[in-house]
Amino acid sequence: MASATAADRAGRPIRVGLDVGGTKIEAVAVSAGGEILGLLRRPTGWGADAVIESIAEAVAALAEETGFALEDVASAGVGIPGLVDAGTVLHAVNLGVESLDLADRASALLGVPFVVENDVKAAALGAAALRGAEESMAYLNLGTGVAAGIVVDGRIWRGTRGFAGEVGHLSVAPGGRLCGCGQRGCIETLCGGGALAKAWGRPGALPVLDILDAADAGDPEAIALRNGLHQGAAAAVRVLVLTTDVDRVIIGGGLTSLGDRLEDGIRAALRDGAGTSAFMRSLRLDERIELLPAGSPAGAFGAALVGASTPTKEIVPHG
Ligand SMILES: [Zn+2]
């Protein structure tokens, strides 16, 4: 299918955004005015070829359900785990992808220009836009892993190599549990869903929920893990505010389904941590956090915004 030129695409009304996760893809269609016109979820395939197929299927289903044609699509953006460099995804282990030239392959398949960004960075942009945040903010993702995206004046701060916001691998407990990165006591070992499930080690579909329930019932091991969850997330908030002085740290990711049991615990840990320090109390960290509402499409919406920022050189057709 032939790609369209930038001029051809000008004025087309639909921006598509896809948040590709380990188990599902969330796709949104966004109008030129920024309104979400349609949203759906589809399972994600395993491995590079299956990921491309799942993306194509999600876009086709979204077009059919929302009632637009692919010819109406100005751009598509994808938020995906792993390291993203110029449209190529590297080391997305939860998707079975070692290296995938996603932007080129999806563009060729669908005839729509694609832009790819790391999923947490895309969600940060989406959260900022959905909240209407004019000021700078940080988005802390508490999911299987832990990472943050920092938005400054409406734009993602990527850093020189795209690692800005990787607070999950700040070691805050040097003698602590071993992290997948090779260090001990990383923030992610305390408040990452994957690390918590491993530390808990008991069967169950929702290990972090089981930990909180067991802690409420007085299980000492679960109480220690729950304290670590709250303190690890509090440490992430602390480092984000101390390095960037963002007004808001918006918390998203799978663990936010815990609701108040997560938010209240993080707030309490932030207050406790500031107990003896007039300086830390003056930062009012507990007042700066906010949980993303359950089911918020921040990831897919942010991906649509990333796609809409397509530089002209990336939408010139190949060949
Ligand atoms: Zn680590």
Side-chain angles (χ1 to χ4, degrees):
M1 193 182 293
S3 298
T5 65
D8 289 342
R9 294 273 164 194
R12 296 191 181 201
I14 304 291
R15 308 281 184 183
V16 169
L18 300 122
D19 184 27
V20 178
T23 56
K24 68 173 187 335
I25 293 178
E26 185 166 271
V28 294
V30 178
S31 72
E35 185 193 355
I36 294 179
L37 304 171
L39 182 154
L40 59 76
R41 296 184 182 89
R42 282 284 182 282
T44 312
W46 174 260
D49 291 344
V51 166
I52 293 286
E53 270 172 41
S54 317
I55 286 172
E57 282 166 16
V59 174
L62 182 70
E64 191 180 332
E65 284 190 20
T66 311
F68 64 86
L70 280 182
E71 289 70 31
D72 297 332
V73 177
S75 64
V78 178
I80 190 164
L83 191 61
V84 175
D85 184 22
T88 296
V89 185
L90 301 168
H91 316 308
V93 288
N94 291 339
L95 298 167
V97 168
E98 185 48 38
S99 174
L100 169 60
D101 49 348
L102 201 163
D104 283 351
R105 286 185 60 182
S107 298
L109 193 61
L110 293 167
V112 171
F114 271 74
V115 180
V116 186
E117 179 57 282
N118 167 269
D119 59 344
V120 173
K121 290 185 171 65
L125 209 54
L130 288 172
R131 200 177 171 279
E134 293 294 318
E135 75 274 30
S136 299
M137 57 146 268
Y139 169 78
L140 175 62
N141 193 78
L142 301 179
T144 306
V146 176
I150 299 157
V151 177
V152 180
D153 298 330
R155 295 182 62 187
I156 278 286
W157 183 18
R158 306 188 84 256
T160 52
R161 294 169 62 191
F163 289 113
E166 291 290 344
V167 295
H169 298 292
L170 178 68
S171 174
V172 292
R177 288 191 293 275
L178 187 63
C179 181
C181 76
Q183 302 184 99
R184 284 192 177 275
C186 288
I187 283 175
E188 184 167 302
T189 65
L190 294 170
C191 61
L196 280 166
K198 194 173 162 196
W200 183 232
R202 303 183 200 179
L206 301 165
V208 183
L209 189 61
D210 292 344
I211 290 168
L212 294 194
D213 288 344
D216 287 347
D219 181 315
E221 190 190 345
I223 290 171
L225 289 175
R226 180 179 64 186
N227 290 344
L229 161 63
H230 294 148
Q231 283 163 10
V237 172
R238 213 173 280 132
V239 70
L240 285 167
V241 174
L242 286 171
T243 48
T244 63
D245 192 25
V246 282
D247 185 49
R248 286 273 132 196
V249 178
I250 301 198
I251 300 174
L255 266 56
T256 56
S257 64
L258 300 167
D260 290 347
R261 298 169 93 186
L262 179 70
E263 189 173 7
D264 294 349
I266 299 173
R267 279 221 165 86
L270 288 168
R271 277 195 294 269
D272 288 351
T276 58
S277 167
F279 165 63
M280 291 303 287
R281 279 200 305 278
S282 76
L283 298 178
R284 299 184 181 280
L285 296 176
D286 58 314
E287 294 173 16
R288 299 201 199 200
I289 66 166
E290 186 176 309
L291 239 56
L292 204 61
S296 166
F301 187 66
L305 297 178
V306 168
S309 68
T310 317
T312 307
K313 66 181 173 61
E314 286 188 22
I315 50 176
V316 169
H318 299 279

